[in-house]
């Protein structure tokens, strides 16, 4: 067992419950011993304190005292088996000259934790036990009766029946009232905790609805603006391809533009599906990942950018799709950035993805200003750094001594269940 587990096991509520149980059992033991002794003294007809202190316990009273101690010890399990403990203690109190305090402790546990007919049966049985106990105790003298001593009644005066009922009703009523109060407070705390959880869930649901509404709005804007322009671009590129049958270079470039526009339309539809239904498994399957890097390199080669690539992806274990998608988009942005700032220059791409090292993407291309070591990040590099940070990785951009523009991105390996290997 760890240290933290010990700390939880011996927390203050547990110590408090153990202390209360110990006090209750000890009190019931003392009360039971006193009641059994008074019962023997009444049976022997003792009337003075000197006689009571001098009289030894007989064998039968010793047995009754052991039974009384057993009833007190049974209170340890009063919350685990409240009905059975209550029934047993009350029945023994009715049959034997035991004290009426132990049934009250058992009745308290029943009312706190049990409802329905079993609770009412326990209340009735405990009330009978209390009446019998008070009536039995009131039949002696002041030297052998706790209730006569409490009310200051003389030995010759009879103990009135109405006082027996009044004392019993008061004891049972106070016990049940305290138990109902504790049960009500527990129910109130439970209700407040449930209300808090409900409010939290409603707040989270409201945030999710707001985010979904924002995603819908963004999806509509993107579809209306980019979808229209990409459609026009594909139409014009197709027209240019048809109109230039004699110039193969222009026709080939127009075909590349048309295919790029059509691919962009497919990517746009996938992105719109992600915005509108982010948790859909079919949508997630359509998102590009590391397996699509070869197609990305072919597109760059077709666009006239020489790419020397080295790609290693460990496919023996499953990589989380979000990390794979981030790595794909980062590689796409790096190649696009190289093509934009150093058109026609060769690009060296290296991708290494394995569980023990994570996902590492690096590129090297000629810098447009080889003697200027300063880095002025534009929207592309800024967006790249933000995407890397969201994936929990690191990124570096610098110009080396040979005037080459270098980038290095490292992403943590995350298993398909969402658990990082770091």
């Amino acid at each position: 067992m760890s240290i933290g587990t010990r700390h939880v096991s011996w927390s203050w509520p547990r110590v408090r419950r153990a202390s209360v149980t110990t006090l209750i059992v000890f009190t019931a033991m003392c009360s039971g011993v006193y009641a059994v002794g008074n019962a023997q003294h009444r049976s022997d007809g003792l009337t003075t304190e000197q006689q009571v202190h001098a009289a030894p316990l007989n064998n039968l009273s010793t047995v009754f005292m052991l039974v009384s101690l057993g009833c007190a010890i049974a209170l340890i399990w009063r919350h685990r088996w409240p009905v059975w403990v209550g029934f047993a203690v009350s029945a023994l109190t009715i049959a034997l000259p035991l004290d009426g305090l132990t049934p009250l402790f058992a009745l308290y546990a029943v009312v706190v934790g049990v409802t329905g007919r079993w609770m009412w049966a326990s209340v009735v049985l405990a009330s009978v036990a209390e009446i019998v106990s008070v009536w039995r105790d009131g039949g002696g003298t002041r030297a052998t009766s706790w209730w006569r001593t409490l009310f200051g009644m003389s030995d010759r005066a009879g103990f009135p029946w109405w006082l027996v009922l009044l004392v019993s009703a008061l004891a049972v009523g106070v016990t049940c009232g305290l138990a109902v109060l504790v049960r009500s407070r527990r129910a109130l705390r439970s209700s407040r905790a449930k209300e808090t959880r409900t409010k939290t869930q409603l707040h989270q649901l409201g945030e999710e609805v707001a985010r979904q509404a924002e995603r819908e709005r963004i999806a509509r804007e993107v579809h209306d603006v980019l979808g229209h322009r990409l459609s026009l671009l594909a139409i014009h590129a197709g027209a240019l391809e048809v109109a230039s049958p004699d110039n193969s270079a222009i026709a080939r470039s127009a075909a590349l533009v048309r295919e790029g526009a059509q691919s962009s339309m497919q990517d746009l539809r996938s992105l719109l599906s992600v915005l509108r239904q982010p948790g859909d498994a079919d949508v997630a399957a359509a998102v590009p990942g590391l397996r699509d890097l070869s197609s990305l390199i072919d597109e760059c080669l077709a666009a006239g950018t020489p790419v020397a690539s080295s790609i290693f992806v460990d496919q023996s274990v499953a990589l989380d799709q979000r990390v794979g998608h981030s790595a794909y988009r980062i590689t796409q942005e790096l190649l696009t950035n190289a093509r934009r700032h150093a058109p026609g220059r060769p690009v060296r791409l290296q991708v290494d993805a394995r569980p023990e090292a994570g996902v590492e993407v690096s590129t090297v291309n000629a810098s447009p200003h080889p003697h200027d070591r300063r880095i002025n990040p534009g929207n592309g590099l800024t967006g790249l750094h933000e995407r890397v940070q969201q994936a929990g990785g690191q990124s570096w951009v610098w110009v080396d001594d040979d005037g080459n523009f270098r980038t290095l991105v490292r992403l943590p390996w995350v298993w398909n269940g969402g658990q990082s290997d770091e």
Side-chain angles (χ1 to χ4, degrees):
M1 182 183 292
S2 65
I3 296 177
T5 305
R6 288 197 186 117
H7 176 73
V8 173
S9 299
W10 291 101
S11 58
W12 166 244
R14 187 178 180 88
V15 173
R16 182 181 61 186
R17 288 193 297 268
S19 302
V20 171
T21 299
T22 302
L23 180 60
I24 289 175
V25 171
F26 178 75
T27 304
M29 285 181 174
C30 295
S31 177
V33 170
Y34 180 73
V36 171
N38 281 344
Q40 177 188 325
H41 299 153
R42 288 193 300 270
S43 177
D44 294 341
L46 305 181
T47 58
T48 63
E49 294 289 341
Q50 292 79 8
Q51 294 174 340
V52 168
H53 292 308
L57 289 177
N58 56 37
N59 293 334
L60 186 59
S61 295
T62 302
V63 173
F64 291 162
M65 191 172 294
L66 292 177
V67 174
S68 177
L69 294 177
C71 291
I73 294 175
L75 294 176
I76 297 175
W77 298 278
R78 67 193 186 280
H79 291 297
R80 181 175 297 180
W81 303 296
V83 175
W84 300 117
V85 172
F87 278 6
V89 170
S90 298
L92 290 173
T93 302
I94 295 172
L96 304 177
L98 307 182
D99 183 63
L101 184 61
T102 305
L104 295 179
F105 286 137
L107 177 63
Y108 175 87
V110 172
V111 177
V112 167
V114 180
T115 59
R117 60 181 181 178
W118 290 109
M119 183 194 72
W120 292 111
S122 300
V123 171
V124 171
L125 191 60
S127 300
V128 174
E130 195 66 22
I131 292 173
V132 171
S133 175
V134 175
W135 172 78
R136 185 190 298 133
D137 185 79
T141 62
R142 294 184 65 175
T144 61
S145 173
W146 188 83
W147 289 109
R148 281 184 175 274
T149 305
L150 180 63
F151 290 111
M153 299 179 63
S154 63
D155 294 344
R156 296 181 180 180
F159 201 84
W161 63 268
W162 59 265
L163 188 57
V164 174
L165 296 179
L166 179 62
V167 170
S168 302
L170 184 61
V172 173
V174 171
T175 302
C176 293
L178 291 176
V180 170
L181 178 62
V182 171
R183 189 172 66 184
S184 300
R185 292 182 60 183
R186 290 181 179 177
L188 179 60
R189 286 197 298 267
S190 177
S191 176
R192 287 178 176 175
K194 185 180 296 184
E195 181 182 0
T196 302
R197 291 194 298 268
T198 302
K199 287 182 178 179
T200 302
Q201 293 174 355
L202 288 176
H203 180 69
Q204 294 175 351
L205 182 60
E207 289 183 347
E208 181 61 28
V209 171
R211 286 194 294 267
Q212 183 63 34
E214 182 65 17
R215 287 194 292 264
E216 290 285 348
R217 186 187 65 82
I218 295 174
R220 287 194 299 270
E221 293 294 329
V222 171
H223 178 270
D224 294 342
V225 177
L226 294 183
H228 175 69
R229 293 185 178 180
L230 288 175
S231 298
L232 290 178
L233 181 61
I235 292 174
H236 289 302
L240 182 61
E241 181 182 3
V242 174
S244 305
D246 299 331
N247 195 329
S248 59
I250 295 178
R252 186 168 56 254
S253 298
L256 290 175
V257 171
R258 178 178 54 78
E259 293 174 358
Q262 291 175 350
S263 299
S264 299
M265 286 291 294
Q266 294 177 357
D267 292 340
L268 179 61
R269 282 192 290 269
S270 299
L271 291 175
L272 293 179
S273 299
V274 170
L275 279 173
R276 287 172 173 152
Q277 298 175 340
D280 194 343
D282 294 337
V283 172
V287 174
L290 293 178
R291 64 182 181 275
D292 302 304
L293 287 179
S294 59
S295 300
L296 179 62
I297 295 174
D298 292 339
E299 292 178 2
C300 293
L301 293 174
T305 301
V307 179
S309 61
S310 174
I311 300 175
F312 175 80
V313 179
D314 188 350
Q315 297 183 354
S316 61
V317 290
L319 177 65
D320 188 77
Q321 290 181 343
R322 291 170 295 182
V323 178
H325 175 62
S326 297
Y328 177 88
R329 292 304 185 193
I330 289 170
T331 305
Q332 185 181 42
E333 177 58 34
L334 291 177
L335 294 176
T336 302
N337 189 69
R339 184 169 63 250
R340 182 185 305 116
H341 296 287
R345 301 289 186 91
V347 180
R348 292 201 302 271
L349 170 66
Q350 183 174 357
V351 179
D352 189 2
R354 60 188 73 196
E356 61 273 11
V359 181
E360 183 175 292
V361 181
S362 63
T363 59
V364 181
N365 63 277
S367 175
H369 307 287
H371 301 292
D372 189 0
R373 301 294 180 86
R374 293 176 301 176
I375 302 296
N376 298 317
N379 293 330
L381 290 179
T382 301
L384 183 142
H385 287 307
E386 291 177 352
R387 184 183 288 273
V388 171
Q389 290 177 357
Q390 290 176 358
Q394 296 176 305
S395 60
W396 297 268
V397 177
W398 74 98
V399 178
D400 62 14
D401 296 336
D402 297 330
N404 295 320
F405 186 83
R406 292 180 175 268
T407 60
L408 176 61
V409 173
R410 288 176 180 168
L411 302 178
W413 184 279
V414 179
W415 302 95
N416 199 15
Q419 181 182 2
S420 176
D421 192 49
E422 292 188 343

